[in-house]
């Protein structure tokens, strides 16, 4: 089955070259993948021809679809997608809506990507709030999925429950783990610990058909004991950015300590490769992006600093999501256990 | 001025020896400090005599006050301090109440420490919710104070405002920084970003006499651009434990990478000292504890895994807090700007 993935060529922090290189790498890896670059037509076509370096087979699997505007990181999401009707994110999700693309990938303003997705594709039936899920590295060498990482602040118990359902479906269909363990982010492992939202969400998860592992604390996130961690988007976003910030601060502190001694400097030269491998393992710009879950279609948000390799992976994952029809799985699992109507109001 | 600090000898994970060694180190560093070890009298007196190793001057500055019970990490805080009337934390704060000690330090169950402090000493006038503040390392080599780190979940705007006042007073009086920069933890630096609580707290901080630097994101916490970060205790606790967990996971991952090559192993041997120095910088068991702020007295909570050096520092900091009468400063600054009565309800 041929899958068409629309890729926002203007989304990243570093211009369209990484997107073009990412698209070429993705189609070289997958025969049945076609990538549609969204952005300024002539400029993209010219750079595509240059960067393909005569690989006409790959070049034939990448096309360009014109879009004249870009939503910047500074733009207010909802405002921007209303005013900039020809913005890459709007055009991309419009292609998905029209069936010309099966999925959309962008490293742009995540709020605008979510807003454009909801506007063009709508929510899945029964989903109160679509969200964004992301992967964190763990000590066990397999990532944990956190949802939501910022699309929804001030969530209700039903929203968190639905995040758990959606993330479970993703892990089941894309990572092929049949019964992912779901943790509820809280401040104590014991039942009954947490804030009002956690206390209300706990029984919903416990009564559900999900593989609920109970509360997990902040320190457990990176342990790799659970496959999914659900939380309010406010906390998820703080956790995501704090992890990134702590990683940066740690490397800066280690560098400072190393510069204090020649012995340590020499040691650093010898173990530089190991540190680089570690950095790659935790660098979330290297991950294959954060899927939007709960929209009636397929979309992936990538980090603004994504490399061509990260965008390549995101295109392949997006194609996988479309192929496995995660959304049908979500709607099916949601139907198995419905929460009462009064807490079901958005 | 002689200061008496009560130290819970049974609070840490590793038995009373670290507390005794911490007390001896603290009195050796400060002539006008007296430490009262709280716990099983005969056992503590015998170990104190052994561990003092003939240093009668130091030994004379440390005394023992009997307490026969211990609140464990598994105990429910409020329940435990009601039932265990002779628990070290209860006895310690009772000494503070009776004026026999100026401050109390414990590495025990933080919920029980807070509960005992509030029960014995009460809240400061005007304070709706006492909280626990803690320090995080930053890339700028000076720690940032985070409040609250877990005493209060489901906070209101007035609580966060009061956390900012209390943390400001601590930084001003103990760290001698006259106008500490205060950040409000949120998911975007721009005004108007965040959840309902943040949006309600922002104008209170802005209108206050505090040095308010606006919203800070998760990644900014470790940058060292602000001196104080205020947040709900639910998020603060998750942030604290996630930082600890990420640090552990990172070291485990780096170790895994190093073991893959002999070259890296040799490099590691050479830079081991630098890595240990880094570990010490981020290890929050090494910090001088987390002050309770908002109680009508002085108390410090230490990490359960605190070393003797960490407990020594905590005793010295507790003495400093008592000497500088932070509580008078808090009451004074709180009086300068009062939030309206309707949001002032606890």
């Amino acid at each position: 089955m041929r899958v068409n993935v629309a890729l926002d060529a203007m989304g990243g922090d570093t211009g369209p070259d990484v997107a073009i290189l990412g698209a070429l790498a993705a189609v070289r890896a997958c025969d049945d993948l076609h990538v549609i670059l969204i952005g300024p037509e002539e400029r993209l076509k010219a750079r595509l021809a240059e960067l393909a370096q005569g690989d006409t087979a790959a070049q034939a699997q990448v096309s360009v679809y014109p879009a004249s505007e870009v939503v910047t990181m500074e733009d207010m999401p909802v405002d921007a997608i209303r005013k900039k009707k020809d913005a890459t994110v709007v055009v991309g999700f419009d292609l998905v809506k029209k069936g010309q693309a099966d999925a959309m990938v962008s490293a742009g303003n995540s709020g605008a990507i979510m807003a454009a997705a909801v506007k063009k594709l709508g929510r899945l039936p029964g989903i109160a709030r679509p969200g964004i899920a992301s992967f964190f590295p763990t000590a066990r060498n397999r990532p944990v999925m956190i949802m939501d990482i910022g699309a929804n602040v001030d969530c209700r118990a039903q929203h968190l429950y639905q995040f758990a359902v959606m993330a479970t479906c993703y892990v089941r269909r894309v990572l092929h783990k049949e019964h992912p363990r779901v943790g509820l982010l809280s401040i104590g492992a014991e039942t009954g610990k947490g804030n009002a939202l956690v206390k209300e969400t706990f029984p919903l998860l416990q009564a559900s058909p999900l593989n609920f592992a109970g509360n997990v604390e902040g320190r457990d996130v990176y342990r790799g004991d659970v496959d999914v961690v659900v939380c309010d988007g406010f906390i998820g976003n703080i956790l995501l950015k704090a992890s990134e910030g702590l990683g940066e601060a740690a490397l800066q502190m280690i560098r400072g300590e190393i510069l204090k001694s020649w012995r340590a400097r020499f040691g650093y030269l010898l173990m530089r490769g190991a540190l680089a491998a570690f950095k790659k393992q935790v660098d979330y710009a290297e991950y294959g992006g954060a899927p939007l879950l709960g929209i009636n279609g397929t979309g992936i948000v990538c980090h603004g600093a994504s490399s061509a390799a990260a965008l390549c992976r995101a295109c392949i994952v997006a194609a996988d999501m479309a192929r496995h029809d995660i959304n049908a799985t979500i709607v099916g699992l949601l139907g198995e256990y419905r929460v009462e109507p009064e807490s079901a109001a958005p």
Side-chain angles (χ1 to χ4, degrees), chain A residues 74-124:
Chain A
E74 288 70 38
D75 280 334
M76 294 296 280
V78 178
D79 229 44
I81 64 150
R82 205 181 54 227
K83 284 181 190 155
K84 297 180 174 177
K85 293 201 193 308
D86 202 37
T88 48
V89 281
V90 178
V91 171
F93 281 110
D94 199 48
L95 288 185
V96 177
K97 184 185 179 182
K98 291 189 285 192
Q100 290 174 255
D102 301 295
M104 165 71 179
V105 173
S106 173
N109 180 323
S110 62
I113 297 167
M114 180 54 103
V118 171
K119 187 178 177 186
K120 290 290 176 188
L121 308 175
R123 295 172 296 174
L124 279 180

Side-chain angles (χ1 to χ4, degrees), chain A residues 135-290:
Chain A
F135 290 100
F136 280 29
T138 76
R140 290 222 184 151
N141 223 349
R142 59 165 184 242
V144 56
M145 185 175 231
I146 316 281
M147 183 165 183
D148 175 56
I149 55 136
N152 305 283
V153 298
D154 299 312
C155 289
R156 299 177 54 171
Q158 191 226 8
H159 305 145
L160 262 59
Y161 166 66
Q162 293 195 340
F163 297 161
V165 169
M166 294 189 274
T168 291
C169 292
Y170 183 96
V171 174
R172 194 177 279 178
R173 301 293 288 172
V174 179
L175 305 181
H176 309 293
K177 182 154 192 177
E178 198 50 36
H179 298 293
R181 284 165 60 81
V182 177
L184 176 61
L185 190 61
S186 188
I187 61 169
E190 307 83 359
T191 309
K193 283 242 181 167
N195 60 7
L197 176 64
V198 164
K199 286 177 190 162
E200 213 187 313
T201 308
F202 193 100
L204 292 184
L205 288 169
Q206 205 165 31
S208 79
L210 302 175
N211 185 10
F212 181 47
N215 289 348
V216 296
E217 292 195 81
R219 65 184 320 166
D220 303 326
V221 171
Y222 311 96
R223 281 221 176 116
D225 296 337
V226 294
D227 305 291
V228 168
V229 170
V230 290
C231 59
D232 177 288
F234 184 75
I235 295 175
N237 190 273
I238 288 171
L239 197 61
L240 179 77
K241 296 206 176 134
S243 303
E244 205 186 348
L246 186 62
E248 282 167 14
L251 286 171
Q252 212 168 321
M253 285 187 259
I254 290 177
R255 209 172 291 132
E257 292 297 338
I258 286 168
L259 289 176
K260 288 182 189 164
S261 109
W262 283 103
R263 190 186 150 99
R265 281 189 196 200
F266 183 60
Y268 170 72
L269 286 178
L270 292 174
M271 61 179 280
R272 200 161 46 170
L275 285 179
F278 160 71
K279 192 161 183 275
K280 200 168 171 174
Q281 216 178 327
V282 296
D283 188 355
Y284 79 106
E286 292 288 329
Y287 279 76

Side-chain angles (χ1 to χ4, degrees), chain A residues 22-34:
Chain A
L24 288 166
V27 298
R28 280 180 191 128
C30 304
D31 283 341
D32 54 357
L33 179 64
H34 186 92

Side-chain angles (χ1 to χ4, degrees), chain A residues 8 10-12 71-73 89 105-113 301-304:
Chain A
D8 181 352
M10 308 306 286
V71 177
T72 67
M73 292 295 182
V89 281
V105 173
S106 173
N109 180 323
S110 62
I113 297 167
V301 179
C302 294
H303 193 277

